[in-house]
Structures are given as structure tokens and as C-alpha cells.
Amino acid sequence: MQHQVTCWLAVFGLIVSSPFSRALAEDEGKAGLEAEAEMPEIHFDVLDKYCLECHDSLTEKGEVNLEDLSFSLVKDIETAETWNKVLNAINSGEMPPGDELQISDEEKTAFLTDLSEKMVLARAILSDSGGEVALRRLNRREYANTVEELLGVRPDVSSLPDDQASAEFDTMGASLFFSSDQLELYLETASETLDVALTPSKKIPEGSRLTRIEPEEIYYPHYLKLASNLLDRAQRNYAWQLAGGTDELAKDYGYLDGWQAGRQLNSFAQYYPQVAKYLSAPENKTGAAMMITIKDGFTQIKLPQVMWNEGGKHTIRLRAGAYADDPDRYHYLEFTRRDGQNVERLGYRKVTGTLRKPEIIEFTIDHPPGKNLAYWVQKRSHEDRGDKNLWAVHREENGYGTPWGIWVDWAEIEKSSSEGLNPMAQEILFEKPEGMNIQEYYREVIQRFAQRAFRGADVEPEYLEKLYARFDAQRAEGKPPVAALIQPLAIILSSPNFLYFSEAVEGDDKTLSDRELAVRLSYFLWSSPPDARLMKLAREGELSNPEVLEAQTSRLLADSRSGNFVRGFVYQWLDMHRLGMFSFDGRQFPDFDNAVRDSAREEIYRTFEKVMHEKLPLKNLLKGDFVVVNDVLADYYRIEGVKGHEFRAVKLPGDSPRGGLLGTVAFAAMGSDGVRSSPVERGAWVLRHLLNNPPPPAPPNVPQLSRFEDEVLSARELQKFHQEQPQCAQCHQKIDPIGYGMENFDPSGQWREVETVITGRKRDSTKEFPIEPAGKLSDGTEFESYYDLREVVADRTGDYAMGLTEALTAYGLGRPFGFSDHELAHQIVEKASRSEFQIERLIHELVQSSTFQSR
């Protein structure tokens, strides 16, 4: 019966949304439609009998009150949304809960038939009552991209207003507010960036471009001195012990007391073996092994600092070989740059040469102008104390610590010469035409810049006159012309016409102009301003032509700048901030380090891009026969034959648990706390992002399970105790089974057959629990294994497409997806289903909609 009801709803939705029925509804008039969009009173008996015990005005379980709910679905948006929740909950079988009295098939059919019919009418009626796009400013990403497009220099936006105080996406106008006291922040940021952009890069003399570092000149003397100090401590300690080893004698041997003497002897026992090993290796007299010590940290190669006016592409070059007997993970170099205490990881390279036959490795850096930065090379690392913890584990095994992995003969940096202004700055300071005097020239510079910065919008003459006056005042103070330009140009980059998307409403017509459409489209797909080609079509009034708009949408998606969309949208849509929330203990997860974490994030982006650019069925994001990986992830996934740091698609065997989002290390890690996997986080993530059936927020005052803190329990056992609480059971029965189905992945994303829980105060004991992946979804669908669960999820690509469409709508329009958008989303998904829900098709249908093209 449930299947019959669902099928009837689908057919009815297509009939009611047909052009003929919509035209007929319009002829009947709005008043008649509103009267029809009302649930028959007879259905109150269903609510009273099956729902009000938990959802009346006194109980309001889950913050849902059905007792006072109006039976007019078009009373307001809130009422319609509540009825929509009722429809989804009953139609999916979630309500009433399994342990409560169930609605009979006859009652359910009648109730859902009427409600679904009224819901379609309500969506049509309310489609014009809400969903206005809020006036919004550029968020940080968009501001940085836009300024970089104008100046050729990326600004530091860390001091600018936050983007996501209360919004799902950083494009939401409601949270992109601006106050007058923040104006100074924008002025300061713009002035600093302009100063860099309009200052020519200095020419680096030919003989100063290449600097080579011989690491043995740094590290061999360092460790020689360290070994001498350690031996001296040990000799003094033994002499002190022979003399009696008392606190009174300690000062005679250079110690404060006996405790310090004992501590320094322990230091000798810990560190001297690896220092002695380093000094005894002949290759370290002509190079340096990439050793890590708990005392001194990494053997790191620091290259000469690149100065603020040396922006451009430079090359780091090393001659290196790998120790063949050391674990493969230690054969990777990590490249970083540092600005004070801030460390940015730039990438990784695997060393495949040997000590007998080293190889030359090159790494290109794109140095941002305006900053003095130091570049470093070291062995790939863990976050927090992971490397030190892992060092202790290795020391117990081999007596000296972490294997060296790599030896470096020499390292060098070769700076390119990029004398003069960058191309964007050259466009600002264009060559002065003959016959134009200096005053006219600089006024033209200001006027052209304002026109470009305001993305083609008209610039008021009065505004320009004020800018000219600012320039003249700066000149009167004795500043050179270019320096005098900085203030008026900074004012332009801090003005509302630049910071805000200007979409003027004229009368009742809410249709975007072609210029406004160009701006909305480019910031949707590029997070940056329209290019000249898009603006030309807008000026000619051609962009709103559906065929032209479709062609331009395809062009923007094919452009490399669409990577801004992928990273901005996917990161937020899939809650990928969780990937960086927790530190993973190096002892427990030795292979899950910074290289894996960074590569795991990139794998998600590159997979999404592949499915989008190659127009693959959307189902490939739920279950695919390939992964998109580099050598780091291929090693981690135990996939052979992948060489090089470039990401590429790799075919998977049929029995692989990888392929699709569920099999990625990123998903597994996000569904953990760095110590144990979380069935709740994983199950809620799948419901929220893959099945478009998000669970409600956790209720307040959730009972703690502190009474079990001294017991060693499996993840499944811990979650069962949550279900003992009535306020928790309903949601956990929906969430937890999905999480159990993915318990074969440990917190770091590696496959396991048992869950190993580390116990003991010293973390020196373990207890194992067999994985039980079988479960049942809230609609009754059963699965026996992770592979079965993956099939169940993949079979619901339509639900996934709907969730993706809702997210794209919210991101692209800069406002939350609301009830009035449901009809649009259903139309988009229905049209895209003909192409197996291709991502590009979903985007095309959204862009072609009147909603996207309206204010």
C-alpha cells in the first residue's frame, strides 16, 4: 500500500504541474485556488488519533504543534512548511514511530491523497509570496577574487567581516551585513593591496636568482654539537652518581638537584642513539637525512626568504634519494611556507630516487606579492603531537626513533624575474594617449577603474568629481601621481557599489537586467566578476536569450575559474570543515597525516569536477567504479600503479569499498572525533546530504552517558543506550542504522573487520568488537553489509538530486531554500532526470528559471 501511495503522488504531481493544468488554475483565479488548498476537516481525526499525543500544544515534541495547525495550507509559509513535514514524515513511514499505534492503510491513503493534492496547489499559490533575494555584499572569497581580478594581487581578507555567522552558505545575504565601523577595514585592506599592485616588482640581478643550500653545512655541525652536549651530561651524571648521587652534590656537577640530574640522563638515553646513528652515516657528511627528533623536531631545509616585491612563480629544486628499507610513507617531501607562526602546506612530492642514484625534484611556488615569506622543505608530517607520539612508538621498535626515509644532497631556489607592473596594474595605468594632458589622464584612470569595479553599472558624475578631488588633494600634499591614486581607488573598492550586488527594482518588474544577470551568473559559477565576453553580451541585450544563456553557462563551467564554485559550494554543502576539526593520534593512526588529510579534501573536489565536467550520471557520486586520487591517496587506499602528485581517475575492481562519497577517507574522518568513529555523525550526514531527509536538531538537555565512562563498549552498544531515552529514541532509530552500516571504516577511513578500542590510563590495552553492519532504514528497507547499504543509497539518486538542487538554489540565489521553492526544485529535478541528473543539467535548469533571473 505504501508503494501504491508513493506512485500515485508522483503521477499526480506530474499532472498538476502540467502546462494545461497550470493555465486552468490561473483561469479559475487565486481565490478559488486558495479555497481548494485546504485540508478536509475529516482528517483531523487522523491527527487526533495518531499524532496529538506527542505533538499537541502542551507537548510539542520536536517543536511541532499540530493541535493549533490551520487546515488552510496557504495561510502562510510556516503553515505550509509544517504540512510539508507531515506529508514527508507519514509518506516515508517515520511517523508514527514504530512502537506507536500505526495508521491503517485506508486512512493513510485517504490522508496522503488529499494532502499531496493540496500541497501541489499550495506550492503554486505561494510560489510568488516569498523567496526574494536579499541585498548582499561580496563575501570574503568573492571580495578576494574580485580584487585579484582588478589588481592582479590577492588581498589579505582575514580582518574583514565574517561570512557565516548564521547562514548555511557564505553567499547568504541575511548574514552578509555591513556596518559603518567596518568601512575602515575595507579601506585599509584596499589601500594595502593597491600599494602592492601599483609598485613595480624589482628586477632580480642574474647572479642573485639562484641560491643553493648544502644541508650538511647546517645539520652535521648541529648534531655534532648536540652529541657532545649529550655526552657531557652523561659523563657528569655518571661522575655525580659515583660521588654519591645526592641533592647536595648535584650543584657541584652542574645540576640544580638530583631530579634534574636524573632527567638529563634520561634525555641522553632517549636522544643520543639517533644522533649517534646520524653522525655515523657517511651520506650525512655530504647531505642530510630528513630526521625527526622529539627534542629538535624536523630536519628542515629553510630556503632564502622571498620578498614582498618578488611576486611570481619561482622554483624549488632538490636532489634527493629514498632509503629503500624505510616505510613508503616516509618517502614524501612536504613543502610549506611561513608567515610568522602561520604555516601553509603547499604540496607533496614522492622521492623515488635512491641514495646511489638520487633524483632531481622540482616544485613550483606561486609567491603572492606583498608578503615576505620563508619556504621550507621537510618530511611529511602529522598535526599536533602526532609526529612526537609516533617517534616514541618507533623508538620502542628500533631503538632510535622515526626512520629517516629521505636523504637530501642539496636544495636550491631559483627566483624568476618579473620586473615591472603585473598585467592588471598595467591595465589600470594604461598608456597615456597622445593629446591627453596629465590631469585628464589620471581622471580617465579613475573613471575607467570605477566602471570596471562597479561591474558595468553606471557611475554618477558627482561621485567621480569627489574622487577627482581626493586625487587632487593628495597631489597637493606632495604625493607622486601613482601614490595619490591609492586613496580614491581604495574608496572605490570600499563603496557600496563595489561591495554590494546592485539589483535595482523598477516598479513591479523583478526581472534582472542582462548586466545584473551576468553578475549573478559569474558569481554563482566563478565567485568572481563577469569577464569581457559575458559583459559584451549583456550590453548587447543578448544574455537573457535562453540559447545564449545556456551557451555561456556551459562556457563558465568549462573555465578553470569554475573551480572556485566547486570548492566554495562543495566545502560548505558537505560540511567539510569537519575534516580539519580533530587531531588524529599518530600512534593509533600513523598513516593518517597532513598529506592524507589534504589529499582527501582534494579528492572530493576533483571527483565532483569529473562528474560535472564529463557529464556523468549523478549516481557516480553515490557509487562509482573509479576514484580520483594522487599517489598519496593511492598508497593509502592500497591502489597500485599510481605515480605522481597529479590527481587522476583510477578504475576500481568490482569488490572495492571505494568509489562514491561513502567510500572516501574524507567522509569516514568527518564522521569521527579523531579517536572513534561516530555512527550518529555518519548516519546524520548521509540523511542530510545524500538522502535529502535531514534529521531534526538534537533536543535540549540530552542525557549524558557518564555512567558508562568506566566501561569499554562498542559504538553500537553506546548508541543503544541513547535509544533508552524517549526524547532521543525516535531520531536515533532513524540515524543509527545507517551509521552502523559504515562501521567497517575506522575513524581514518581504513577498512576493518573489528572495532578496536584503546583502553587503560596509559593507553596500553585494547579490546576488540566484531563489526555488525546490518540494519534497517526507517522505511523498512533492510541491508546486511556496507555494500548493501551503498546500493540502497545509490538507488535513491532522485533524492540526492533533489537535495543537491535545493543546495544549489540556496547557494546561487543567496538565500535559504524555502517552501515556495519546492515547485521550482521539482521541475528542475524532473527535467534533469532525462540526463540521469547530470550536475551541469541541474545548474542549467536553475539558471534558466525565472527565479534565478529575478530579484
Side-chain angles (χ1 to χ4, degrees):
M1 179 63 69
Q2 177 68 46
H3 176 70
Q4 293 173 353
V5 172
T6 303
C7 291
W8 188 93
L9 293 178
V11 173
F12 184 81
L14 291 175
I15 294 174
V16 174
S17 62
S18 68
F20 174 79
S21 61
R22 286 199 295 273
L24 181 63
E26 291 173 0
D27 291 339
E28 291 175 348
K30 186 176 180 181
L33 282 175
E34 290 181 355
E36 291 184 22
E38 185 169 324
M39 280 289 284
E41 291 289 340
I42 189 174
H43 291 309
F44 186 81
D45 292 340
V46 172
L47 299 182
D48 184 34
K49 184 177 180 180
Y50 300 103
C51 307
L52 293 188
E53 183 176 347
C54 297
H55 299 294
D56 60 4
S57 57
L58 294 176
T59 310
E60 290 195 19
K61 192 170 184 179
E63 300 183 1
V64 175
N65 174 16
L66 301 181
E67 184 178 11
D68 299 333
L69 182 64
S70 171
F71 269 43
S72 172
L73 274 64
V74 293
K75 176 185 177 184
D76 49 46
I77 293 290
E78 291 73 20
T79 298
E81 287 178 337
T82 300
W83 278 110
N84 196 52
K85 291 178 182 177
V86 172
L87 173 64
N88 292 336
I90 295 178
N91 197 32
S92 66
E94 293 178 26
M95 291 292 161
D99 55 355
E100 299 289 344
L101 179 65
Q102 298 298 299
I103 306 176
S104 68
D105 288 343
E106 293 75 13
E107 290 174 307
K108 180 180 288 188
T109 299
F111 184 87
L112 291 177
T113 298
D114 281 342
L115 180 53
S116 60
E117 178 181 349
K118 307 306 179 186
M119 190 61 63
V120 173
L121 293 174
R123 287 171 180 163
I125 294 169
L126 293 173
S127 61
D128 294 328
S129 64
E132 292 188 0
V133 179
L135 180 67
R136 75 174 184 91
R137 62 166 171 81
L138 300 174
N139 59 38
R140 286 182 174 183
R141 293 185 301 112
E142 293 164 340
Y143 177 88
N145 292 339
T146 305
V147 170
E148 189 173 21
E149 286 281 335
L150 288 168
L151 305 180
V153 174
R154 193 165 188 84
D156 180 356
V157 298
S158 59
S159 64
L160 297 183
D162 192 12
D163 295 330
Q164 290 182 284
S166 61
E168 179 182 0
F169 292 108
D170 63 1
T171 58
M172 298 292 178
S175 66
L176 294 173
F177 49 84
F178 179 80
S179 59
S180 57
D181 60 341
Q182 294 168 337
L183 175 61
E184 290 296 328
L185 298 176
Y186 282 101
L187 279 170
E188 182 179 352
T189 299
S191 297
E192 291 175 353
T193 311
L194 281 160
D195 188 31
V196 174
L198 299 180
T199 301
S201 297
K202 72 172 185 178
K203 182 177 181 179
I204 305 173
E206 189 71 32
S208 303
R209 293 182 188 176
L210 183 67
T211 305
R212 176 169 290 194
I213 303 295
E214 298 288 353
E216 72 275 10
E217 296 177 0
I218 301 170
Y219 284 101
Y220 197 84
H222 172 76
Y223 289 124
L224 195 62
K225 182 178 179 180
L226 178 59
S228 177
N229 290 337
L230 289 170
L231 283 170
D232 176 67
R233 292 179 187 178
Q235 290 167 354
R236 285 188 288 114
N237 192 283
Y238 290 137
W240 167 70
Q241 291 186 51
L242 289 174
T246 64
D247 283 346
E248 291 77 11
L249 291 171
K251 292 182 179 179
D252 295 338
Y253 291 88
Y255 303 116
L256 295 174
D257 52 28
W259 178 84
Q260 188 190 45
R263 186 170 179 271
Q264 292 202 0
L265 183 61
N266 182 60
S267 175
F268 172 81
Q270 280 189 318
Y271 309 139
Y272 186 77
Q274 69 177 152
V275 174
K277 176 180 172 62
Y278 184 95
L279 295 172
S280 66
E283 67 269 20
N284 288 328
K285 293 182 179 180
T286 58
M290 303 301 280
M291 185 167 67
I292 176 174
T293 74
I294 197 170
K295 185 175 183 62
D296 282 0
F298 285 94
T299 295
Q300 299 172 312
I301 298 174
K302 179 183 178 182
L303 296 159
Q305 193 173 49
V306 182
M307 306 306 291
W308 70 275
N309 56 354
E310 296 177 342
K313 294 187 182 297
H314 310 302
T315 302
I316 296 175
R317 202 172 290 111
L318 303 97
R319 185 171 187 262
Y323 290 90
D325 294 335
D326 289 345
D328 203 50
R329 192 181 76 82
Y330 294 119
H331 292 164
Y332 286 83
L333 291 167
E334 179 177 292
F335 295 80
T336 65
R337 65 180 167 208
R338 304 184 183 186
D339 182 9
Q341 296 299 314
N342 298 320
V343 179
E344 180 184 1
R345 295 188 297 274
L346 302 177
Y348 308 86
R349 294 293 185 272
K350 188 173 186 179
V351 178
T352 58
T354 65
L355 266 64
R356 289 188 175 183
K357 193 175 181 179
E359 66 174 318
I360 305 295
I361 292 177
E362 289 193 352
F363 188 91
T364 301
I365 57 173
D366 195 355
H367 182 74
K371 291 186 176 182
N372 300 330
L373 297 174
Y375 290 84
W376 298 69
V377 185
Q378 65 183 39
K379 189 160 51 184
R380 62 191 275 190
S381 63
H382 284 81
E383 286 192 342
D384 200 33
R385 291 183 54 85
D387 289 300
K388 292 186 176 181
N389 292 337
L390 189 55
W391 175 89
V393 173
H394 283 302
R395 180 176 173 273
E396 292 177 2
E397 297 171 347
N398 60 27
Y400 66 90
T402 305
W404 298 341
I406 301 168
W407 172 81
V408 175
D409 183 10
W410 49 259
E412 63 186 21
I413 182 168
E414 184 175 7
K415 298 180 182 179
S416 63
S417 182
S418 54
E419 182 183 8
L421 295 174
N422 72 69
M424 294 297 98
Q426 290 176 15
E427 187 171 344
I428 297 170
L429 299 175
F430 59 91
E431 186 175 349
K432 184 173 73 68
E434 291 185 13
M436 181 181 287
N437 63 41
I438 291 296
Q439 184 179 21
E440 291 173 338
Y441 169 71
Y442 283 108
R443 288 191 170 213
E444 183 71 11
V445 167
I446 294 172
Q447 191 274 332
R448 289 191 187 185
F449 185 79
Q451 192 74 33
R452 288 179 57 221
F454 294 168
R455 298 176 282 277
D458 294 333
V459 186
E460 296 293 332
E462 296 84 358
Y463 180 74
L464 287 173
E465 288 297 332
K466 292 178 181 179
L467 294 175
Y468 301 154
R470 289 276 184 172
F471 173 77
D472 293 338
Q474 294 285 293
R475 289 287 288 132
E477 293 178 7
K479 291 186 178 180
V482 173
L485 277 174
I486 289 178
Q487 188 180 89
L489 298 190
I491 291 172
I492 292 172
L493 296 180
S494 307
S495 67
N497 282 340
F498 175 75
L499 295 177
Y500 278 83
F501 294 93
S502 58
E503 297 175 352
V505 178
E506 298 179 3
D508 296 330
D509 186 8
K510 295 184 178 181
T511 304
L512 295 176
S513 69
D514 276 48
R515 185 197 68 81
E516 293 166 341
L517 179 57
V519 171
R520 181 175 289 187
L521 181 65
S522 66
Y523 277 96
F524 175 33
L525 300 181
W526 284 355
S527 300
S528 63
D531 62 2
R533 187 173 175 184
L534 199 61
M535 289 303 296
K536 181 176 183 295
L537 290 168
R539 285 193 303 271
E540 295 170 350
E542 293 292 326
L543 187 59
S544 52
N545 180 316
E547 293 182 359
V548 175
L549 182 58
E550 173 131 354
Q552 289 304 302
T553 301
S554 294
R555 181 178 71 84
L556 266 62
L557 285 171
D559 191 280
S560 62
R561 281 169 284 191
S562 66
N564 294 330
F565 157 70
V566 171
R567 282 155 179 75
F569 171 73
V570 173
Y571 177 86
Q572 297 174 82
W573 171 47
L574 298 181
D575 294 333
M576 290 183 64
H577 66 281
R578 288 189 58 86
L579 191 54
M581 284 178 61
F582 305 104
S583 295
F584 283 69
D585 191 330
R587 293 168 296 187
Q588 189 174 354
F589 304 107
D591 294 337
F592 188 83
D593 56 12
N594 288 323
V596 170
R597 194 192 301 255
D598 293 343
S599 299
R601 184 181 295 108
E602 192 67 17
E603 177 190 11
I604 302 297
Y605 301 148
R606 297 299 183 97
T607 303
F608 188 92
E609 284 182 326
K610 176 180 172 63
V611 174
M612 180 176 73
H613 290 319
E614 297 184 13
K615 298 180 175 58
L616 301 179
L618 185 64
K619 189 174 184 177
N620 282 276
L621 288 179
L622 300 177
K623 181 192 175 186
D625 61 356
F626 64 89
V627 288
V628 184
V629 295
N630 60 353
D631 50 5
V632 171
L633 277 186
D635 287 350
Y636 197 74
Y637 288 158
R638 312 291 192 266
I639 298 173
E640 297 181 354
V642 177
K643 298 180 180 180
H645 63 279
E646 301 88 356
F647 278 80
R648 82 296 305 262
V650 179
K651 189 82 171 177
L652 291 171
D655 59 351
S656 174
R658 309 297 176 183
L661 292 173
L662 291 182
T664 62
V665 60
F667 166 70
M670 290 190 295
S672 76
D673 61 2
V675 178
R676 298 189 67 175
S677 57
S678 171
V680 174
E681 287 293 344
R682 290 177 176 179
W685 191 93
V686 171
L687 287 167
R688 187 178 300 116
H689 298 297
L690 304 188
L691 299 180
N692 195 34
N693 188 15
N701 304 317
V702 175
Q704 299 297 311
L705 300 180
S706 55
R707 69 183 190 275
F708 303 113
E709 63 184 9
D710 293 330
E711 298 185 37
V712 182
L713 302 172
S714 69
R716 183 182 276 265
E717 289 171 331
L718 281 171
Q719 293 310 127
K720 284 182 179 179
F721 289 118
H722 269 302
Q723 296 189 26
E724 292 178 351
Q725 307 297 327
Q727 67 267 50
C728 302
Q730 178 179 316
C731 290
H732 278 282
Q733 289 169 1
K734 174 181 178 180
I735 297 170
D736 294 356
I738 299 175
Y740 299 150
M742 290 175 291
E743 275 293 279
N744 281 112
F745 291 109
D746 74 9
S748 70
Q750 295 288 24
W751 188 263
R752 63 183 177 182
E753 297 295 341
V754 296
E755 178 188 9
T756 302
V757 180
I758 298 178
T759 65
R761 291 184 177 180
K762 295 184 178 180
R763 298 174 57 82
D764 54 358
S765 301
T766 60
K767 187 172 182 179
E768 293 184 343
F769 300 93
I771 300 296
E772 302 175 49
K776 181 169 68 173
L777 301 187
S778 58
D779 65 358
T781 303
E782 298 183 354
F783 56 89
E784 295 297 322
S785 67
Y786 160 75
Y787 295 95
D788 293 340
L789 174 63
R790 185 174 62 174
E791 291 292 341
V792 169
V793 173
D795 286 342
R796 305 189 180 196
T797 309
D799 294 332
Y800 182 48
M802 181 62 71
L804 174 56
T805 300
E806 293 177 7
L808 286 169
T809 302
Y811 179 87
L813 298 181
R815 60 167 174 77
F817 183 90
F819 177 82
S820 59
D821 297 311
H822 280 283
E823 183 66 16
L824 168 65
H826 281 286
Q827 292 173 5
I828 291 173
V829 171
E830 193 277 328
K831 292 176 181 177
S833 66
R834 303 162 196 167
S835 65
E836 298 185 274
F837 307 108
Q838 293 173 7
I839 296 173
E840 183 168 327
R841 192 71 253 155
L842 293 171
I843 292 172
H844 275 303
E845 297 300 338
L846 173 60
V847 170
Q848 291 287 334
S849 71
S850 60
T851 302
F852 186 86
Q853 298 178 36
S854 300
R855 299 175 178 86

